[in-house]
Amino acid sequence: LSGKIKLSGKNRLSQGLIVFQFVLAVFLIISMLGMKQQFMYLANKDLGYKTDDIAIVRLPHDSYKKVLPVLSNDLSSMPGVTQSTVTNWGWNRAKFKVDGVNTDWTYYQPVDEHFVSFFKIKLLEGRNFYAATTADQQSCMINMAFARSMNWKNALGKQIEYNGKMLTVTGVTADYNNASLKEEVQPIILLKRDTGAYGQLYLHCTPGSFAQDKVAVHNAFKKIDQWHNEEIMAMKDFNAEKYAGEQSWATVVNFSAVVCIVLSCLGLFGLSNLNIARRIKEIAIRKTLGAGGANIAVLMAKDFLKLVLIASIIAFPIGWWAIN
């Protein structure tokens, strides 16, 4: 193409290549900005429960009944820990019976009486579990998604059968996103803690005390089992792991956008030099006739701007569609 590239006239090939290059650049810029906004949305979205200043401690599945009493005593003496609760955070699924008919596979969470208040989940109807250890073994709470799936306008007092035992609905919570935001809120049944195993201890830490509390939990575990390596992480980091794939794609798109923009600018710089070199006599004549620098700059740039405008008109709807 050397010596044949023109920005104006009927040179459709060079114009088409330049437009295609800018379509890619604008598309990647739109993708980059769209993904940035998406991650800001994920970071700031109200999930329906509290996530700030919360630490997750994974409990050993084979000895959680032995671990919790010891940990509970130590937690009360940790100045940075203000509240705690235990649950499995909804990854258990089972089939329940309502009016003798099996439900679809439904999430359930073994929780204690602190769960709802700890995570500040809204209780829309009814009551929370009682604090007594043996109370509420015949009770359960549900979220609104479960009530909707059953077409219950008034869920309190409804009966749900689980493992041959009848459970009475004593409370209805607002929906909360216990999974990724890529999934719809699922129906969930909350069972009193003693009705099943649980694997996570949640600690509410005072701001700035996470590192200190982590050491304290580590020391508490060593009293129980010196060979056990406990896992402790912040709730926000735990939620961020759900979007690791999206984060990787965002990195790829951001890198590609930067490379594409740099290449486009280098190409424009080269084409500008070529265009000016070819029109140097025209520029000299215009200067002699009194044309100002701004007028000449507009004259040189208008061919580029026209192609960039065409590329933007093509790229914006494609980028909008792809991001949506």
Side-chain angles (χ1 to χ4, degrees), residues 21-67:
Q21 184 181 30
F22 275 102
V23 166
L24 287 179
V26 174
F27 173 77
L28 285 170
I29 291 170
I30 293 171
S31 301
M32 181 173 61
L33 295 176
M35 284 191 164
K36 181 180 178 181
Q37 286 189 321
Q38 182 70 17
F39 277 106
M40 289 177 63
Y41 174 81
L42 294 175
N44 299 314
K45 168 70 174 173
D46 181 9
L47 300 176
Y49 63 92
K50 180 180 175 60
T51 60
D52 295 331
D53 303 317
I54 291 179
I56 306 173
V57 182
R58 297 187 188 278
L59 300 174
H61 294 289
D62 56 343
S63 58
Y64 62 86
K65 289 183 178 179
K66 180 179 69 174
V67 168

Side-chain angles (χ1 to χ4, degrees), residues 130-204:
Y130 292 126
T133 306
T134 57
D136 285 322
Q137 296 302 300
Q138 306 296 325
S139 304
C140 68
M141 290 193 288
I142 62 174
N143 66 346
M144 278 300 297
F146 187 89
R148 286 194 300 270
S149 69
M150 294 290 108
N151 294 319
W152 288 344
K153 293 184 178 179
N154 184 9
L156 296 181
K158 298 290 187 181
Q159 299 289 306
I160 300 175
E161 184 178 346
Y162 176 57
N163 285 342
K165 182 170 63 176
M166 298 302 296
L167 303 173
T168 302
V169 177
T170 57
V172 180
T173 72
D175 290 336
Y176 54 93
N177 292 89
N178 64 325
S180 163
L181 285 173
K182 294 178 288 185
E183 303 174 27
E184 293 183 9
V185 175
Q186 298 296 316
I188 298 174
I189 298 177
L190 301 180
L191 308 175
K192 192 67 184 296
R193 184 178 72 191
D194 295 342
T195 59
Y198 42 90
Q200 284 93 32
L201 168 68
Y202 293 85
L203 308 176
H204 185 268

Side-chain angles (χ1 to χ4, degrees), residues 59-117:
L59 300 174
H61 294 289
D62 56 343
S63 58
Y64 62 86
K65 289 183 178 179
K66 180 179 69 174
V67 168
L68 264 183
V70 178
L71 276 180
S72 297
N73 291 333
D74 286 6
L75 289 174
S76 61
S77 63
M78 295 180 190
V81 176
T82 59
Q83 197 179 6
S84 64
T85 188
V86 287
T87 180
N88 250 5
W89 205 237
W91 296 118
N92 309 285
R93 291 204 302 172
K95 286 197 173 185
F96 296 80
K97 280 188 177 181
V98 176
D99 296 330
V101 180
N102 284 331
T103 65
D104 292 331
W105 287 99
T106 303
Y107 286 110
Y108 69 92
Q109 287 183 254
V111 301
D112 63 8
E113 64 274 12
H114 305 298
F115 175 78
V116 172
S117 60

